[in-house]
Amino acid sequence: VTDAPVEVRPHLDLLGSVLWALGMGLIVFGVLRSGEWGWFLPAEDGPSVLGMSPVFWLIAAGLVTLRLFGLHIRRLDDAGKEPLFSPSLIYQGGLNGGLLMFLFQFLVMMGLFFVIPLFLSVALGLSAIETGIKITPLSVTMLLAAAGVPKLFPTGSPRRIVAIGFVAVLVGIVALLVSMDADATASIVTVPLLVVGLGLGALASQLGSVTVSAAPEKLAPEVGGLQNTASQFGASLGTALAGSVLITALTASFLSGIAEDPDVPPEVVNQAHVQLTSGAQFISDDDLQSALQDAGVDEQTSEAVLDDYGEARLDGLRTALALLALFAVIALFFTRRVPDQQPGSVTAVDS
């Protein structure tokens, strides 16, 4: 059997690919450097461009580049040529809603996968295997929800299920945030992660079908590419934002804590301000104690610094979790973009 000849060979939009990758890369790189360089005003002893932090210019340049990308693909589409993806997809209601939910889902999920292991492995000192075991409940309930929701609610409203999913994620994050204190143990993550996993599984059960069914079958490859892009961009952005906010809050809380601690000499406070201008590192108590011993800090001061750093470390984790909770709340406001009917249902077809 001979293969049918290819009538139309796909053409790679090279310029569009470069503009898209450059725009996304500039934004993510800017967010990654925000903890060290500052968001708007430059950090002390940090680089400055026209009186502003380079982060501001990187993100602005990324947004401008994405705007140029939009103009480029519209120009190609109007000329009857083949852009990286069809601009008309952007205006497909169900599709752009699904892509936006994918972005928020992976932003929150990967932010959690960044923050929680830090709490377990660094703050509590668990091994890599113990940390993995403690995170397992999230994977279990996520799998169960992703497989079970379509079977239990085959005609359920995708919009309602997605909204309930984000509410579950929000409840789990808030529960984890509230229970995270100086006396917390690894057991505090179990129930919140079970709830978060249910929420993420509910999202996974709906968003794939919502995006794929929102466009004609011939555009399925483009839809798949956009779906993967939204997921990967959300994952990168979630990790970068969680890390940036965590380090910023950790540094501010630690410097404020030792400045107000009467057991920490002023010369140690001044030295900390000088050395931590670019941000404090998220390290364990053992690593910090070793560093203090190497610096010749006396035992009483070391204990005070360790206490202040432990509290600052929790402040950083709680701030990062609060940011992820905020994104879950924002996502709820955009769930109205998700279709209210299951793809292929009678009502959906009639509409």
Side-chain angles (χ1 to χ4, degrees):
V1 179
T2 58
D3 295 333
V6 178
E7 297 180 359
V8 179
R9 293 186 178 276
H11 171 72
L12 175 63
D13 179 10
L14 185 59
L15 177 58
S17 301
V18 171
L19 289 173
W20 181 260
L22 180 62
M24 293 290 191
L26 287 170
I27 293 173
V28 172
F29 181 71
V31 174
L32 283 172
R33 305 299 293 183
S34 60
E36 180 179 351
W37 293 345
W39 282 94
F40 298 101
L41 297 178
E44 187 176 351
D45 296 331
S48 173
V49 178
L50 300 178
M52 301 289 289
S53 167
V55 170
F56 171 80
W57 298 112
L58 285 169
I59 295 177
L63 293 174
V64 171
T65 303
L66 291 179
R67 175 59 178 168
L68 292 175
F69 167 78
L71 295 174
H72 168 71
I73 62 173
R74 287 189 180 90
R75 180 179 61 82
L76 289 183
D77 191 60
D78 292 341
K81 298 181 180 180
E82 189 174 354
L84 187 61
F85 63 83
S86 176
S88 61
L89 289 175
I90 301 175
Y91 302 103
Q92 295 281 350
L95 178 61
N96 61 44
L99 294 176
L100 193 59
M101 293 300 101
F102 263 115
L103 186 144
F104 278 112
Q105 177 193 6
F106 277 82
L107 189 155
V108 174
M109 181 172 68
M110 297 311 296
L112 286 173
F113 279 139
F114 177 81
V115 172
I116 295 175
L118 284 180
F119 170 68
L120 294 172
S121 62
V122 179
L124 299 184
L126 270 62
S127 66
I129 294 178
E130 292 171 330
T131 299
I133 292 174
K134 288 297 181 181
I135 298 177
T136 301
L138 185 150
S139 301
V140 172
T141 53
M142 183 175 175
L143 178 61
L144 291 175
V149 168
K151 293 183 178 180
L152 295 175
F153 308 100
T155 60
S157 165
R159 182 185 304 168
R160 187 173 305 154
I161 294 174
V162 169
I164 293 173
F166 273 114
V167 169
V169 171
L170 176 62
V171 169
I173 294 175
V174 171
L176 185 60
L177 191 156
V178 171
S179 58
M180 191 175 288
D181 55 35
D183 299 323
T185 62
S187 61
I188 69 165
V189 305
T190 303
V191 175
L193 288 184
L194 288 171
V195 177
V196 170
L198 289 173
L200 293 175
L203 297 176
S205 71
Q206 303 298 311
L207 296 182
S209 61
V210 165
T211 54
V212 171
S213 63
E217 186 176 351
K218 65 179 181 179
L219 297 179
E222 296 183 29
V223 173
L226 289 173
Q227 179 178 308
N228 289 332
T229 299
S231 302
Q232 295 302 320
F233 183 61
S236 302
L237 202 59
T239 305
L241 284 170
S244 171
V245 169
L246 188 152
I247 295 301
T248 300
L250 166 68
T251 304
S253 178
F254 178 59
L255 293 178
S256 175
I258 60 175
E260 297 173 358
D261 194 333
D263 293 329
V264 180
E267 57 270 19
V268 174
V269 176
N270 293 334
Q271 187 177 5
H273 275 276
V274 172
Q275 294 185 353
L276 300 180
T277 53
S278 60
Q281 295 183 358
F282 195 92
I283 57 177
S284 65
D285 288 344
D286 291 339
D287 291 338
L288 178 58
Q289 191 167 21
S290 298
L292 292 172
Q293 290 176 352
D294 294 340
V297 179
D298 63 84
E299 184 176 354
Q300 181 180 357
T301 303
S302 295
E303 291 180 358
V305 171
L306 281 169
D307 291 340
D308 293 331
Y309 184 81
E311 186 58 39
R313 192 167 50 202
L314 289 175
D315 287 341
L317 291 167
R318 285 191 289 253
T319 303
L321 287 174
L323 177 67
L324 297 176
L326 176 61
F327 279 117
V329 172
I330 294 174
L332 285 171
F333 286 97
F334 290 97
T335 54
R336 67 186 66 182
R337 292 175 174 264
V338 178
D340 194 40
Q341 301 292 330
Q342 286 289 342
S345 66
V346 175
T347 307
V349 172
D350 291 343
S351 61

